[in-house]
Structures are given as structure tokens and as C-alpha cells.
Amino acid sequence: MTEMLKKTAPVNTFCRMCDNHCAITVYRDGSGRISSIDAYPDHPWNHGRVCAKAGGAVDIVNHPDRLLRPLKRTGSSWQEIDLKQALDEIAERVSRLQDTFGPESMSVWKGEATSFNQQEDLAKRFCRALGTPNFLSVDSLCFCTREIGYSLVYGSWPKPDFSNAECMILWGANPPAAHPPMTRTIMEGRERGAKLIVIDPRLSTIARQADIHVQPKPGTDGALAWGLAHQLIANNWYNKDFVENYTVGFEKVAAYAGDFTPDAVEAQTGVPADTVRTIAALMHKASPRVSQYAGNGVEHYENGVNNVRAIASLDAICGAFDMKGGSINADGLGQQSLKLYDEIPLTQLRRADGEKFPVLHDFRQECNTMTALNAILTGDPYSLRGMIMTAGNPTMTNPNSEKVKEALSALDLFVVRDLFMTETAQLADYVLPAATFLERTELYTYAPIQTVSMSTRVQSIPGVQDEYQFWHDMAHRLDFGEHFPWADEADLNAWLLKGTDVDFHDLQNSAKGIQYKAIQRQKWRHRPLSTPSGKVEFASAYLAGLGYDEVARYKPPYYASNPKPEYPFSLITGARNHLGYHSSYRGVKRFQPEVSGPQMEMHPDDADGLGVVDGETVKVSSAIGSIDIPVKIVARQEIIRSVLQATHGWKEANINKLTHDDILDPIDGFPVQKGIAVKVERIR
Amino acid sequence: MQIVTVNPRKCVACRHCESVCSFQRRGHYNHHDSAIRVNHYPEQAACIPLTCVHCAEAWCQEVCPAAAISRDAKTNAVLIDATRCIGCKMCMLACPFGAINFDSSAQSCFKCDLCNGDPQCVKVCFPGALNFEREEDAARANRARHDNRMAAQFGNRNHD
Ligand code: SF4
């Protein structure tokens, strides 16, 4: 009786349908099956609200197509095998590869579908213990440009304090689709009278409430940021005390910004010169309560890191850094590190990306995926022969999908763990079932409120391992079990919390999470930043030492600097919709009526010019590939002319067949997945 | 009585409410099955969410020839009994807000039922455009906002 009660009682835990980790309550039916999900009313992160995806998790967890048994490729078909046999065989083949071709012939690739953060750290740990420097992840094309760009300036990526702001600026970010809880803070700011400025070539969801919606040409954000810097400096609207005492390189920035007059900015970005003046004046009036957030939209250009640095510098110019209503330079929880960076530095081994991106390595200790995939195909700098991938789908998310497929198919050993048989899993030698977020327990931190929560394992499916159990079992088979000593995830969570102010049992019993440290502002007054100089770095001697530009020099995107008349459109990819998360959930039936398939957004005048009607399937081609895709003609306010947008993740029309894996940001190796020069043809 | 109030100043037409409503009602995401509807007018830069306000004097209820519309004793919601509805659409025509919808597969009308006193649309509205509150409280908040604007305009000490 008690067993039955336990199996059916509601459980408070956290949603991980996206990386926002909203507090939820999970309900189960009489048989213990997860039946519905509701918002947990009382967590300081989501305040009793969730987004529409949370309820849909029921479908992911109970989906009839979920992988529940290990599969082994036999010729062109799959054979179900026992989990133990699968792990034994994989371990044996990993050892053989490494014995024959060296430890670095193996790689580990972490994707997004089974959480990141803690799970990324575990995968990094396994990779180090395995003795290979080839840790790969989605970080090669998501998140890192912003993290690195901000960290170069501040030593960290501060979070916006919209609730207390007077001027809010969003760059290429659409929180209602990508970060739903952030939308609440933006609306709180607006309620207090803050101005909202949204910078996006598209009229994104959040742009509908903007006081000023700015539509620059794709990839020109850096020029606009420099233009704002110029206005703030030239008008003496910058915070002199802060700049003089807590920053380095201001003179260099002031000198460089001089080129970005409002007219020059207009010529480069298409944003009217007067708008540049207006925004700068609003920032000045609101200073230091100027709060910015840069989204994924500013990444995926060959000048991404420098564009982000330019945006980041505006906070310091306004004196908004770590100020109320400005940015929050949050303190971390200070948990134990899983990554084995110090214990196993592996400095003697070369990485498969040929050390081309030292900055990516310095900040993330990982290997650029575009270059590593080349190594599989070319053997340069050496052959990467084996890969264990957990919950990634790079044939949909990495650029140049055809090449990604070719490379992954060429591996001697390719193991994929995932929830579903993805397009990528189909290329594997072994496919192992992975656990959903309701079948794991892990720590989630909410940096802006300096709070930590711990998720609860709601159910377990026999034979379906959580990430930790998988790495643990592999490590013990490969004779480095000492690095995975914890009995299970709970034991691991307890270890992670050692040395912090948060008690494991308190956290386990707290559905509201625990604030690990009270929020303090202006920490820069008494504590050096984690930049090399300890100050805000407008100019980076570290970058200069590596041969890069010291200031965040602006370079126009390649479609603008090398215009090709045969490719007259500029394609942006990857805009989020409210029921998706990266490439996930496209195939889930109950999601489908609302997000029915791939489409490419087009300005009505461009459609007229081409003679294309709404819903018509056209052929869109870049220099490297082409696909057929239906057109969605949007209102003229919703996208600028000559710009197209298509969201990735659709196997029926995989837009990443058009994106570039060979034009990369020289600083962190990010690929060009936006601002692709394309042409559109009618299919007759 | 509490109703779902709407505030177009905070709405971004993100459509989480439409999605969750259809998920609650029909088990899938499809705005055609949602009782709450949001319109976005890009030309006017307007986002208008609209759902039933459960009128004290409900014309839909009065006009229904099949007596399929009633008022819930607990939540005060105006409810359509799909098993009694004959699909004549008189209620749709009578509703001045257009808050009643027609389900062509079931051949019956449907509308907001306040999810038995726990409206899901409000829970997914991170912007805060939807709230489940008493009309008096909503009116009081509007009045406070208006008062503040008036005070700012007519106050004698605003420039200190
Ligand atoms: S925003 Fe939505 S999907 Fe993301 S964690 Fe919150 S409820 Fe889940």
C-alpha cells in the first residue's frame, strides 16, 4: 500500500525541456505512469509559471518511439542486445582503438538533449580519464561566442537585471521562445517605465512590445554597438569614475569608436543614423540602469566574438556593470569540479582541431567540432577514429550536414546515446537508450538569483541508464573506475556540494531551492575580476598575444564583404519557436499540429519579385548545397528585405545543408550559420 | 468571482497560452483547439489576447436553444455542455467578444471553462499579460496606474 502511494504521489522537481529549469510538480496515474505536469507555485525562478512545453514532457517520457534497448548495427539493420553485452563490446573496442592508434584517436561529444552543465562536466571528466584531449560539444556553435566575448571583457558573463532597469536592450534574443522566464523580468522592467530596445532583423516575439525595434542587416551588430559607444564617448556620456579606475584600454576603444559616426553605422547596418543617436541618448538617460542581453542571434558570424565584446563594452561605458538595473555579475555556487583539468592536464597530446582555436581551449578546454570532423575525413592532423556521443544531433545542428554525415559514417567506432533514433543515431554502430530529465537527479543553478536546486528522479526504467551510470560503467570497464567512485547520481550530488554552504539534505527537501549567497552589487570595488588585468578589459593583451586584434575590431559579414550577384539573399537560420528547443521535439506527434514543418520566412516584396506565393515550395541554394522548402510570406514589418529566415532541425528540409563549416570565427571557431549568401528559385 | 483578465500592454503573442489550452482540452498543441485566442497585428504593433469574461448576464446562455450553457456553481464559469450542444452557433453570434469557438470535428461549440478554477493559460504567461483575479482587483490596479499618471501630470511637487 505504501509502495503504491509512493509511486503515485505528486513529485516536485524541475523542468528540463529547455535549459531554464522551471520548478514543476509531476503527477502520476494509478499505475505510476507520469500523466501530467503543472507549475510548482513557489520557486523564486519561475514564480508559479511554466511555459507550454512543460506539459509536453509527458509525451517525451512516455513516447512509443523512445529507445529502451541497446541496439547494435548488423549490416544495414539493427539487433537488440543486452545492456551489459553492449557496454562490454564498446569498452573492448575503445581499448583496441586506443591501443592501436593512440589515446587521442577517441573522442567524446556531448549534446544538449540530456541536459548540459553537470552532464557536460561528467562527459569532460570521462574524456580526460580516457586520456584524450578530444572533447567535443555543441559549445562549438552555441553559447560560447557570448560566454567568451563577455568573459574577455569582464572575466565572466554577467546576467541582465531587467526587473530594475530603465533601459533594456536585447541583441538577437527572443526570450518568449528561448528563455521564457526572462520575459517576466523584461515586462517587470517595462511596468516600471523602462524602455525596451530590440535589435533583430526579424520582428521577433519580444520585438512586438519594443519601444524601438531596430532591424540591422544580419551580422552587423558590432558596427551598431561601436556606433553607440561612439555616441556615449563623444557626448561625454560615459561613466568617467568607473572607466578611469576599473578598466583598461579605454583610450584605444575611444580612438577606434571614432570611425563609427551615425552615418557610417547607417551605411554599414541599415539602421537610420537618428535611431543610433536616439538609442544612445536613452542609454545615457538611463545610466547606470542599462541592462543588455545578447542572444544566439549574434553568434554564428565570423566576427561573432568581437561583436559580442563590443556589445559587452557598452555596459562598462554606461557604468552599468554589476549595478542595480544593469548587469548582475553573479557569484557561482563554488561546487567541486568534475572536469579533471588539473589532475589530468593532457598537455602532451595534440587536439584533433590542430590547436587552431586556442581561445576556445583556454576558456572551455574543448576541441572545435567543425575542424575535428575534418580530421576524421582527412587524417589531418591525425585520424580521429572513435566517438562516444551523448544526446547530440549534429547532422541537424552542425553546418554542412552532408559532410557531418560523411565524417561520422567514416568512424571506426561510433556510439550514440539518445532518447530517440535521431538522424545522427542512425549512423552509429551502437545506439544506447538515455534517461530523460525525469529519470535523473542533478543540480541546477540559477545564476541571476544565486540559487541552487536539485532535481528529483521521478521514475527509473530498467535498462535505461542516466548519464552518470553510463560513464561509471564504462570507466570501470576501462580500468579508470577510480575517477567514478560515486554509487549513483545522488551520491555524486552530495560530493559536488561538499565545501559549499548548501547542505545536500536541506536541498533535497527544498522544492524552492536554496540561495547559496546573498546578492551583492559593485563587487569590482573590492574584488579583482577574473580577467588577466583584474579589471574590465576594453582591450585584451591576452588576445593580442595570440595574434588577434586587441580591440574588438568590426569586420563586415562575408556576404557583405564578398557580394556575389548570383546569391542575392542573406539567410539567417535558427530562430526559435515557442514549442521547440534546438533541434528537439520536431517529431513528437502532439507537438506537430502547432509547429507543422519547415518553412522559410520571406519579405512580401521579395516574394513579389520572385513571383512566389505563400506556402509555395522553392529551391534555396548556397555555395555548398540546396534544399526545397516552403515559403512563409510574413508581414513587411516582420523581416527586412533580402533577408530570409529558416529554423533548423527539420529532416524534411535541413537548412544546415546550406551553412558553412569552412568560414569560422578566427577567435573561437564558430561557424557561419547566419548571413549565408543564397539564391531562391521557383520549382516548376 | 475570478476571471482571466488580459493586458495587451504585456502581451507578445508568444502563443504559449493557446498551446497549453489546446493541450489541456485536446491533448495536443494546436491553436485551433484553444479557447483563448491571440491576435497579432504587425502593422499596428498590437497583440490582443482574448478569452471569455464569463459575463454576469451571459447572452450566450440566454440565446442557447438547447439549454447547453450553464454556470458553474463553484467557479462561476459559463460552461457549454458539448453533449447537449446542437452546433447551431447561436452563442457564437451572441457573444460580443467573439470568445466562443466551433469545433468542426465534434460539431459543437467550445469556450473557456476556467479549467475548473485553475486556468492553465495564466500559468504559462510569463509576460504577465494574463492574470486570474477578481474583476475588482483588476479594476483597482488599473485605477492605481491611471492615478499615478495623473499624479505625475498634476502634482505640484514633481519637479523637486
Ligand atoms: S521555460 Fe518551459 S521548457 Fe523551459 S524549463 Fe521552463 S517550463 Fe520547461
Side-chain angles (χ1 to χ4, degrees), chain A residues 15 17-18 20-22 50-51 53-54 180-181, chain B residues 126:
Chain A
C15 178
M17 290 292 279
C18 85
N20 277 275
H21 313 139
C22 296
V50 285
C51 87
K53 291 193 291 295
Chain B
F126 273 113

Side-chain angles (χ1 to χ4, degrees), chain A residues 335-601:
Chain A
Q335 75 219 51
Q336 309 257 25
S337 172
L338 277 168
K339 294 180 278 206
L340 298 177
Y341 285 175
D342 298 331
E343 297 85 339
I344 310 179
L346 289 185
T347 36
Q348 77 286 7
L349 293 176
R350 296 192 66 204
R351 296 184 296 278
D353 65 2
E355 270 79 37
K356 284 202 183 78
F357 302 103
V359 177
L360 178 67
H361 189 258
D362 287 350
F363 279 89
R364 306 290 303 184
Q365 304 236 355
E366 65 183 277
C367 179
N368 175 271
T369 60
M370 276 56 66
T371 324
L373 288 166
N374 279 341
I376 299 174
L377 289 170
T378 62
D380 177 30
Y382 56 80
S383 287
L384 201 57
R385 292 172 181 268
M387 185 183 292
I388 299 176
M389 177 180 289
T390 172
N393 194 7
T395 57
M396 285 290 129
T397 52
N398 259 63
N400 197 352
S401 309
E402 290 301 326
K403 188 155 130 195
V404 175
K405 265 194 199 167
E406 204 190 316
L408 295 175
S409 308
L411 288 165
D412 293 350
L413 173 66
F414 185 30
V415 179
V416 173
R417 302 180 75 249
D418 213 317
L419 306 174
F420 295 99
M421 183 56 96
T422 62
E423 297 70 22
T424 302
Q426 277 163 17
L427 308 173
D429 300 301
Y430 293 89
V431 177
L432 302 176
T436 68
F437 69 92
L438 294 175
E439 295 144 8
R440 292 196 306 267
T441 165
E442 60 185 326
L443 303 179
Y444 296 135
T445 45
Y446 307 83
I449 52 172
Q450 294 185 178
T451 294
V452 61
S453 290
M454 185 159 63
S455 66
T456 306
R457 179 191 296 259
V458 183
Q459 68 173 25
S460 301
I461 301 175
V464 176
Q465 293 185 302
D466 57 62
E467 303 287 290
Y468 175 68
Q469 205 61 49
F470 169 72
W471 298 124
H472 168 275
D473 287 8
M474 287 299 293
H476 283 265
R477 280 172 170 75
L478 289 162
D479 293 332
F480 50 85
E482 73 273 18
H483 291 300
F484 289 80
W486 306 284
D488 55 21
E489 285 183 314
D491 202 15
L492 167 65
N493 291 341
W495 179 81
L496 285 169
L497 289 169
K498 263 191 202 142
T500 72
D501 295 337
V502 177
D503 177 74
F504 172 79
H505 296 285
D506 290 352
L507 191 57
Q508 209 170 27
N509 294 325
S510 167
K512 296 180 188 181
I514 294 177
Q515 188 174 55
Y516 51 80
K517 204 167 181 198
I519 293 178
Q520 286 177 304
R521 317 254 180 197
Q522 304 181 43
K523 296 180 282 295
W524 39 265
R525 285 195 188 281
H526 50 81
R527 200 204 292 169
L529 306 182
S530 345
T531 52
S533 63
K535 296 187 170 190
V536 174
E537 300 202 345
F538 287 119
S540 167
Y542 159 75
L543 281 184
L546 290 168
Y548 298 108
D549 291 322
E550 195 178 8
V551 296
R553 194 167 290 280
Y554 171 72
K555 286 185 206 77
Y558 89 98
Y559 74 86
S561 50
N562 308 289
K564 298 238 166 48
E566 68 270 34
Y567 295 118
F569 290 96
S570 157
L571 168 74
I572 41 187
T573 74
R576 304 319 195 217
N577 67 61
H578 74 291
L579 293 178
Y581 181 55
H582 304 151
S583 67
S584 293
Y585 318 140
R586 306 282 194 272
V588 183
K589 210 160 163 217
R590 295 210 288 185
F591 284 57
Q592 269 172 354
E594 193 58 42
V595 192
S596 52
Q599 55 190 15
M600 185 166 72
E601 297 165 6

